[in-house]
Amino acid sequence: MHQPDEATSRRSFLGLAGAAAAGSATLLQVMTGAVPATAAAATDGLTAPAPRVGDGRTVAVLGAGPAGLAAALRFTEAGYRVTVLEAQGRVGGRTLTARPGDRISEVWADGSVRSQTCGFDHGLYLNLGAGRIPYHHQRVIDFCRRLKVPLEPYVHTSTANLFQTDKAWRGAPRPNRRIANDTRGHLAQLLARAVPKATPGVDALTPAQRDRLTGLLVEFGALTEQEKEYVGSTRSGLAKTPTVTQPEEAVDPLLLKDLLASGFWQHGFYQDAELHWHTTSFQPVGGMDTTWRRAAAALPAGTVRFNAPVNAVELDGTGVKVGWTEDGAERSERFDYCLSNIPVSVLHRQVTLRGFTDDFRSAVQGTPFAAACKVGWQANRRFWESERYQIFGGISRIDHEITQIWYPSNDYFSPTDKGTLTGAYNSYRNGERLGDRPHEERLGVARAAATKLHDEMASNAIVPDALGMSIAWHKVPHQLGAWADWTPEVPEHKKLYSTLIYPQGQDNFFVIGDQVSALPGWQEGALMSAEWAYEWIVNGKRAVRAPVHQVPDARALTTGER
Amino acid sequence: MHQPDEATSRRSFLGLAGAAAAGSATLLQVMTGAVPATAAAATDGLTAPAPRVGDGRTVAVLGAGPAGLAAALRFTEAGYRVTVLEAQGRVGGRTLTARPGDRISEVWADGSVRSQTCGFDHGLYLNLGAGRIPYHHQRVIDFCRRLKVPLEPYVHTSTANLFQTDKAWRGAPRPNRRIANDTRGHLAQLLARAVPKATPGVDALTPAQRDRLTGLLVEFGALTEQEKEYVGSTRSGLAKTPTVTQPEEAVDPLLLKDLLASGFWQHGFYQDAELHWHTTSFQPVGGMDTTWRRAAAALPAGTVRFNAPVNAVELDGTGVKVGWTEDGAERSERFDYCLSNIPVSVLHRQVTLRGFTDDFRSAVQGTPFAAACKVGWQANRRFWESERYQIFGGISRIDHEITQIWYPSNDYFSPTDKGTLTGAYNSYRNGERLGDRPHEERLGVARAAATKLHDEMASNAIVPDALGMSIAWHKVPHQLGAWADWTPEVPEHKKLYSTLIYPQGQDNFFVIGDQVSALPGWQEGALMSAEWAYEWIVNGKRAVRAPVHQVPDARALTTGER
């Protein structure tokens, strides 16, 4: 991303991350109690040991999401005594991976709790939350590398993926390769004809540059060498399967008027041009929560206390008093520092805050969270990998509430021939709409839409309702939202964000998580935030509390929409 | 590729391939001799059994390359008695995977034989020949599926890959993401300005269509909503690493004049738009020859006779007499059928042909073969995966004789931190030039060029000369070329190709291999050719021997050049 000379600016963090997360001997020793945490870092030969500044001071981490666990590892290595209070019985927050027997619950507006149990076959799983790690999310990549989390490529786009709309081609889906390449061809031809004219912009080019521009367009759009025309291309696929006597023959090009009528570009078709969806992307082998299970396992035993929802936080001079319930009892403890990985959407509803400024309370209350839904299916046949579709990973797009269908980037050609599909992934208005439907109705809607792409989706034998999952993140207890919906166009957001990122009390209470980072909705944002709090406390960082000059554009960063 | 309704046209082949290659019980039984080959197909429940037409008739397959082995499996399953005569001590032909201890030899014009021994560390390997399997090469995909060859994604392009030329940016490499997206931006802006004008092509659009076209361009090129200008985009990367207080900031866009001066599009930059380089691609886990080792292992023991170079083929009425050397002795045997997977570049030089027509002899002599070279390195550090480059797979491009550098699509984040790079892959004139250099000089040239992309490449400690490999396929014994160089623009090629694809003698001698297929240089072509010969013999196919209407464009099909 950044140029090489800027890489050094993050070195100190990576050194610390290294001290915290790498050196399996170190972590293992800490984990098993073989050596006291304060002695462990010296055995880490990979990086310079972190300063042993903690000296037994206590840190409460509220929530075992990515930011909470990353912070817990770092503070532990630096010699702090860390307690992680997690409301649920699992770690990972929104990096939820559904596996057989897992129970997913939602709280509805009427107060009812509605649950589903994952009925997938043994060995199948589906990421219901975070789904990919872009190569330039170097904090996450580094974290996985040091924790030895095995990563495999996540295929974002295959040219066999489909796009469907009722507005063109009589509703028949068209593969990515045709839409992408025929569009390039048409655009290149139009521009090639404009080049010899005195079009603004082109007129600033020298004749030699215009010649080169034409050469570029021929290559870019697969135009004919002579007439600079687009007459179709094998880039879009073949009319017939080649044989010894049948050379390749391009499929007929899609017409520009149909491409324009389809509105394909309004449906995430160019998402992979946006930075966070670039190739190469990764996913942890076995499910996205693998990273966080490993992170939790690398902490000293007993650090994470499960089923311990926090209900009160009080700034208490040089400390922070935290109240929670555990084993049916109310508990309370005072810590030197408190890092709250609790989504502020939950914090303002379920945690009593004492001693905080009005500005902070307003920020906690005023931060909007986005809705997002996923539907997941176990499919008893990997029909998408059959000769009929030839789809191996990637995302099909549809002009419909469900927005997209993900094909698995793992277990290709599985001998069981079974696999899991993400049958819908949407957010904002579409996420609200789908989330307002009961589970069965979500499945029905997702099935009906997916059938427009694959008629196999109509079959309850291939894709059984009983093996369908759905999740509306804004209804999930302890989450109540998909991501903080920061919007540069809303002037108040600058103040809210700038309030939340700086520590409260005597600089001993921090909100952490992707919610207070430049990357809402991404694990990289969570690590960025843990790094920020760590630097502030451990390295004595005392930034001027200047308001940020711009809040992140959450919608663009999470959907790729411009 | 083809539309769903065309898929059925290949069903019969797949059925036969299934009978031949699938049904592990069947193959295992045949392989272990538990049942006679002629009885085996009936136990195959996956597909209709192949007709048992062989009835003990004999087939000689000359060469254990992909086409030869695929044919051997099929004919064995169909009840023929098959003998594969392989000149070398290994199977797979140009799907050569170099592993520690492997010896690579070349024969030079002066008759000298020059050899290298692969010194890679245990567990490392490099594909020196075929390197990828596109998703639409369904014959290969199907073959691997049925032989249970594990496949993993081959990443063709990462946006972190580099392009370097001395013609722009003072010779500094630029990442794919900047070149690709800044070009899109500039092209979109130029066209957006032409839209309101009466540009030919645009003038045929209605005002509503022009509006939609503008909407498409804004999305396609990341133009500003208001002015339809390209002012840079985070698609091209970031100026700084984001932090909690540093939102994403786009890197400065490359200037159109520099992009035009660089000539990047002339160096394979858009190769992944061409059909055979589309995502998703695969590679067999452990090396490309895995497929062919498994295919050979699935044949009855003794079917493949190694170190048995053929030196004579005689059409002998209803049979074919084949002469070869084995264990220092001359041998000869008469077969009912003979399928020659020997490259015709070798056939005309090293095999005495008797009883063939003059047309056939002329075709064998007249078929041109292309040159191609690869250089491979063991790297003792996966520096390309470091934070500095963030490259995970894909290909960097360079305006230089070496053309391209491939990064491995396997063993990402390997704990050994070692890996293999393809340090050059070129063909045609550049392949001839590099191939004419002695091995040490090839390494020197490749190292010097690669250093323009990565200064680590200058280090003999990181990339040791002693662990460098090189291969010039046109100098490899028993290959003498990279692929048959069919060229539609050369009128004689139609006759040569049309002669070679049809059987000789009493329809009992066939040339097979990618050399006589619509896909020279690809394993899919090899299987296509085996399928063609099989259909002809077993299913009684008697096509009219019409000349093909067009020969494959080998250069376009192997390089992606238009």
Side-chain angles (χ1 to χ4, degrees):
Chain A
M1 252 354 60
H2 41 74
Q3 302 303 304
D5 52 334
E6 295 163 48
T8 46
S9 68
R10 272 188 48 235
R11 274 289 155 221
S12 65
F13 158 63
L14 288 169
L16 293 165
S24 46
T26 302
L27 284 170
L28 205 65
Q29 286 166 321
V30 172
M31 210 161 60
T32 57
V35 292
T38 45
T43 65
D44 180 356
L46 287 182
T47 53
R52 313 301 309 162
V53 294
D55 206 18
R57 271 175 290 183
T58 55
V59 179
V61 174
L62 316 186
L69 290 171
L73 273 166
R74 267 176 223 171
F75 280 95
T76 297
E77 278 286 308
Y80 292 79
R81 283 186 291 138
V82 176
T83 301
V84 180
L85 298 167
E86 168 53 47
Q88 304 182 75
R90 62 171 188 87
V91 300
R94 278 160 293 137
T95 64
L96 176 62
T97 303
R99 296 188 182 79
D102 283 350
R103 208 169 162 76
I104 308 292
S105 296
E106 295 177 7
V107 183
W108 281 56
D110 61 5
S112 65
V113 176
R114 309 191 190 177
S115 298
Q116 310 153 40
T117 301
C118 179
F120 295 167
D121 286 8
H122 177 75
L124 295 181
Y125 63 87
L126 189 72
N127 293 324
L128 290 181
R132 39 206 171 191
I133 304 171
Y135 72 82
H136 48 89
H137 285 193
Q138 286 284 306
R139 294 171 176 96
V140 182
I141 294 278
D142 187 66
F143 198 81
C144 290
R145 200 193 301 252
R146 289 165 189 273
L147 281 173
K148 305 201 193 315
V149 176
L151 299 179
E152 64 193 354
Y154 167 90
V155 173
H156 182 276
T157 307
S158 167
T159 68
N161 293 154
L162 302 171
F163 168 68
Q164 192 276 339
T165 178
D166 295 342
K167 300 195 183 90
W169 309 301
R170 297 183 195 178
R174 289 289 176 257
N176 171 289
R177 59 182 172 265
R178 296 185 71 180
I179 295 173
N181 291 299
D182 291 341
T183 298
R184 277 169 70 147
H186 292 302
L187 296 184
Q189 174 179 310
L190 287 174
L191 185 51
R193 290 181 181 183
V195 170
K197 310 258 163 190
T199 311
V202 173
D203 57 7
L205 300 176
T206 66
Q209 284 172 328
R210 288 194 202 190
D211 279 355
R212 295 181 74 78
L213 177 58
T214 303
L216 163 59
L217 289 170
V218 166
E219 194 65 35
F220 179 79
L223 305 185
T224 58
E225 205 61 60
Q226 288 304 314
E227 304 294 328
K228 321 300 178 201
E229 261 185 313
Y230 185 64
V231 296
S233 164
T234 55
R235 290 180 179 183
S236 301
L238 304 180
K240 299 173 183 170
T241 300
T243 67
V244 166
T245 53
Q246 169 63 54
E248 293 194 337
E249 202 174 277
V251 66
D252 284 339
L254 301 174
L255 303 178
L256 179 58
K257 74 176 177 59
D258 292 334
L259 287 162
L260 292 176
S262 79
F264 72 89
W265 63 92
Q266 298 158 340
H267 300 280
F269 190 85
Y270 291 126
Q271 190 185 50
D272 66 352
E274 300 294 337
L275 185 61
H276 299 279
W277 295 270
H278 280 193
T279 299
T280 315
S281 281
F282 290 100
Q283 60 182 14
V285 174
M288 189 56 81
D289 64 0
T290 305
T291 309
W292 306 107
R293 287 170 181 243
R294 291 213 181 189
L299 287 167
T303 300
V304 182
R305 298 169 74 157
F306 290 100
N307 303 307
V310 169
N311 50 40
V313 176
E314 182 179 349
L315 298 182
D316 182 22
T318 58
V320 182
K321 218 171 119 188
V322 178
W324 71 95
T325 50
E326 196 175 0
D327 299 330
E330 294 297 319
R331 298 182 184 231
S332 172
E333 204 171 314
R334 196 170 177 278
F335 298 88
D336 295 316
Y337 294 96
C338 179
L339 310 181
S340 173
N341 195 22
I342 299 171
V344 297
S345 51
V346 174
L347 200 64
H348 100 263
R349 286 187 181 87
Q350 297 174 2
V351 180
T352 307
L353 300 175
R354 292 196 197 89
F356 287 86
T357 62
D358 287 345
D359 274 356
F360 181 79
R361 289 170 179 281
S362 303
V364 167
Q365 277 171 42
T367 302
F369 275 69
C373 289
K374 278 193 176 176
V375 168
W377 297 101
Q378 169 172 330
N380 290 327
R381 263 178 52 210
R382 297 174 77 94
F383 59 83
W384 57 92
E385 292 182 355
S386 69
E387 193 185 3
R388 178 173 181 191
Y389 299 110
Q390 307 174 11
I391 293 175
F392 299 93
I395 300 174
S396 284
R397 308 279 171 181
I398 184 165
D399 176 5
H400 182 278
E401 178 182 316
I402 68 161
T403 310
Q404 50 188 316
I405 289 179
W406 294 20
Y407 308 92
S409 288
N410 51 282
D411 301 327
Y412 302 110
F413 313 104
S414 167
T416 68
D417 204 30
K418 296 182 179 182
T420 55
L421 288 171
T422 302
Y425 175 32
N426 58 20
S427 53
Y428 293 95
R429 200 168 305 176
N430 279 327
E432 286 163 17
R433 202 177 304 162
L434 190 61
D436 281 345
R437 303 181 189 275
H439 171 66
E440 293 69 22
E441 193 180 319
R442 293 176 193 164
L443 294 186
V445 165
R447 182 190 291 284
T451 301
K452 294 183 172 194
L453 296 168
H454 303 289
D455 55 30
E456 293 85 349
M457 288 297 297
S459 160
N460 196 61
I462 299 175
V463 187
D465 270 329
L467 302 181
M469 304 285 297
S470 73
I471 192 163
W473 280 101
H474 45 296
K475 289 191 160 77
V476 173
H478 313 297
Q479 303 295 346
L480 303 183
W483 49 76
D485 187 21
W486 300 115
T487 308
E489 288 72 29
V490 182
E492 318 67 289
H493 280 196
K494 207 183 279 190
K495 188 181 176 199
L496 302 183
Y497 182 90
S498 299
T499 301
L500 289 179
I501 62 174
Y502 292 110
Q504 300 299 308
Q506 297 187 11
D507 285 5
N508 45 18
F509 177 92
F510 289 77
V511 172
I512 59 172
D514 60 289
Q515 58 191 343
V516 283
S517 80
L519 282 174
W522 291 96
Q523 292 172 87
E524 182 76 357
L527 295 192
M528 186 185 298
S529 152
E531 170 191 328
W532 168 258
Y534 184 89
E535 292 272 320
W536 194 291
I537 295 175
V538 174
N539 286 355
K541 182 167 178 174
R542 291 291 180 277
V544 178
R545 292 172 192 246
V548 295
H549 64 90
Q550 197 193 302
V551 300
D553 185 343
R555 191 178 181 120
L557 289 165
T558 55
T559 65
E561 289 170 27
R562 307 194 67 77
Chain B
M1 250 356 55
H2 41 73
Q3 301 303 305
D5 52 334
E6 293 164 47
T8 46
S9 68
R10 273 187 48 236
R11 275 287 156 223
S12 64
F13 158 64
L14 288 171
L16 291 165
S24 47
T26 303
L27 283 170
L28 206 66
Q29 286 167 322
V30 172
M31 211 161 59
T32 58
V35 293
T38 45
T43 66
D44 180 356
L46 287 181
T47 54
R52 312 300 309 162
V53 292
D55 208 18
R57 270 174 289 183
T58 55
V59 179
V61 174
L62 316 186
L69 290 171
L73 273 166
R74 268 176 222 171
F75 280 95
T76 298
E77 278 286 309
Y80 292 79
R81 282 186 292 137
V82 177
T83 301
V84 181
L85 298 168
E86 168 54 47
Q88 303 181 78
R90 63 172 187 87
V91 300
R94 278 161 291 136
T95 63
L96 176 62
T97 303
R99 297 189 181 79
D102 284 351
R103 208 170 163 73
I104 308 293
S105 296
E106 295 178 7
V107 183
W108 281 56
D110 62 3
S112 65
V113 175
R114 308 190 190 177
S115 297
Q116 310 153 40
T117 301
C118 179
F120 294 166
D121 286 7
H122 176 75
L124 294 182
Y125 62 87
L126 190 71
N127 293 323
L128 289 180
R132 39 205 171 191
I133 304 172
Y135 71 82
H136 49 87
H137 285 194
Q138 286 284 306
R139 294 171 177 96
V140 182
I141 295 278
D142 188 66
F143 198 81
C144 290
R145 200 193 302 250
R146 287 165 190 273
L147 281 174
K148 306 202 192 314
V149 176
L151 299 179
E152 63 194 354
Y154 167 90
V155 173
H156 182 276
T157 306
S158 167
T159 68
N161 293 155
L162 301 171
F163 167 69
Q164 192 277 338
T165 177
D166 295 341
K167 300 195 183 90
W169 308 302
R170 300 183 193 178
R174 288 290 176 257
N176 171 290
R177 57 181 175 265
R178 296 185 70 179
I179 295 173
N181 291 299
D182 291 341
T183 297
R184 277 168 71 148
H186 291 303
L187 296 184
Q189 174 179 312
L190 287 174
L191 186 50
R193 289 180 181 185
V195 169
K197 311 256 161 190
T199 311
V202 173
D203 57 7
L205 300 177
T206 66
Q209 285 172 329
R210 289 194 201 191
D211 278 354
R212 294 181 75 78
L213 177 56
T214 302
L216 164 59
L217 289 169
V218 166
E219 194 65 34
F220 179 78
L223 305 184
T224 57
E225 204 61 60
Q226 288 304 313
E227 304 294 327
K228 322 299 178 202
E229 261 185 313
Y230 184 64
V231 295
S233 163
T234 55
R235 290 180 178 182
S236 300
L238 304 180
K240 299 174 182 170
T241 301
T243 65
V244 166
T245 53
Q246 170 62 54
E248 293 194 338
E249 202 175 277
V251 67
D252 284 339
L254 301 174
L255 302 177
L256 179 58
K257 73 176 179 60
D258 292 335
L259 287 162
L260 292 175
S262 79
F264 71 90
W265 64 92
Q266 297 157 342
H267 300 280
F269 190 85
Y270 291 125
Q271 191 186 49
D272 67 351
E274 299 294 337
L275 186 60
H276 298 280
W277 295 271
H278 280 192
T279 298
T280 315
S281 281
F282 290 100
Q283 61 182 13
V285 174
M288 191 55 83
D289 65 359
T290 305
T291 310
W292 307 106
R293 287 170 180 244
R294 290 213 181 190
L299 287 166
T303 300
V304 182
R305 297 168 75 157
F306 290 100
N307 303 306
V310 169
N311 50 39
V313 176
E314 182 179 349
L315 298 181
D316 182 20
T318 58
V320 182
K321 219 171 116 187
V322 178
W324 72 96
T325 50
E326 196 175 359
D327 298 331
E330 294 295 321
R331 300 184 182 228
S332 172
E333 203 171 315
R334 195 173 177 277
F335 298 89
D336 295 316
Y337 294 96
C338 179
L339 310 180
S340 173
N341 196 22
I342 299 171
V344 298
S345 51
V346 174
L347 200 64
H348 101 264
R349 286 186 181 86
Q350 299 175 1
V351 180
T352 306
L353 300 174
R354 293 196 196 91
F356 286 85
T357 62
D358 287 345
D359 275 356
F360 181 79
R361 287 169 179 283
S362 303
V364 165
Q365 278 170 43
T367 301
F369 275 69
C373 289
K374 278 194 177 176
V375 168
W377 298 101
Q378 169 173 330
N380 290 328
R381 262 177 51 207
R382 298 174 76 94
F383 59 84
W384 57 91
E385 293 182 355
S386 69
E387 193 185 3
R388 178 173 182 192
Y389 299 110
Q390 308 176 8
I391 293 175
F392 300 93
I395 301 174
S396 284
R397 310 277 171 182
I398 185 165
D399 177 5
H400 182 278
E401 179 182 315
I402 68 162
T403 309
Q404 50 188 314
I405 290 180
W406 294 19
Y407 309 91
S409 288
N410 50 282
D411 301 327
Y412 303 108
F413 313 102
S414 167
T416 69
D417 204 30
K418 295 181 180 181
T420 55
L421 288 171
T422 303
Y425 175 31
N426 58 19
S427 53
Y428 293 95
R429 201 170 304 177
N430 280 327
E432 285 162 18
R433 202 177 304 162
L434 191 61
D436 281 345
R437 304 181 190 274
H439 170 67
E440 292 71 20
E441 194 179 320
R442 294 176 192 164
L443 294 187
V445 165
R447 183 192 290 284
T451 301
K452 294 182 172 195
L453 295 169
H454 304 287
D455 55 29
E456 292 85 349
M457 288 296 297
S459 159
N460 196 62
I462 299 175
V463 187
D465 271 329
L467 303 181
M469 305 282 299
S470 73
I471 193 162
W473 279 101
H474 45 296
K475 288 190 160 77
V476 174
H478 313 298
Q479 302 295 346
L480 302 183
W483 49 76
D485 188 20
W486 301 114
T487 309
E489 289 71 31
V490 181
E492 315 74 283
H493 279 196
K494 207 183 280 190
K495 187 181 175 199
L496 303 182
Y497 182 91
S498 300
T499 300
L500 288 180
I501 62 172
Y502 292 111
Q504 300 299 307
Q506 296 187 14
D507 285 6
N508 44 19
F509 177 91
F510 289 77
V511 173
I512 60 172
D514 61 289
Q515 58 191 344
V516 283
S517 80
L519 282 174
W522 291 96
Q523 294 171 87
E524 182 77 357
L527 294 192
M528 187 186 297
S529 153
E531 169 191 330
W532 168 258
Y534 183 90
E535 293 272 321
W536 193 290
I537 295 175
V538 174
N539 286 355
K541 182 166 178 175
R542 291 292 179 274
V544 179
R545 289 170 194 251
V548 296
H549 64 92
Q550 195 193 304
V551 300
D553 184 343
R555 190 176 181 121
L557 289 166
T558 55
T559 66
E561 289 170 27
R562 307 191 68 76

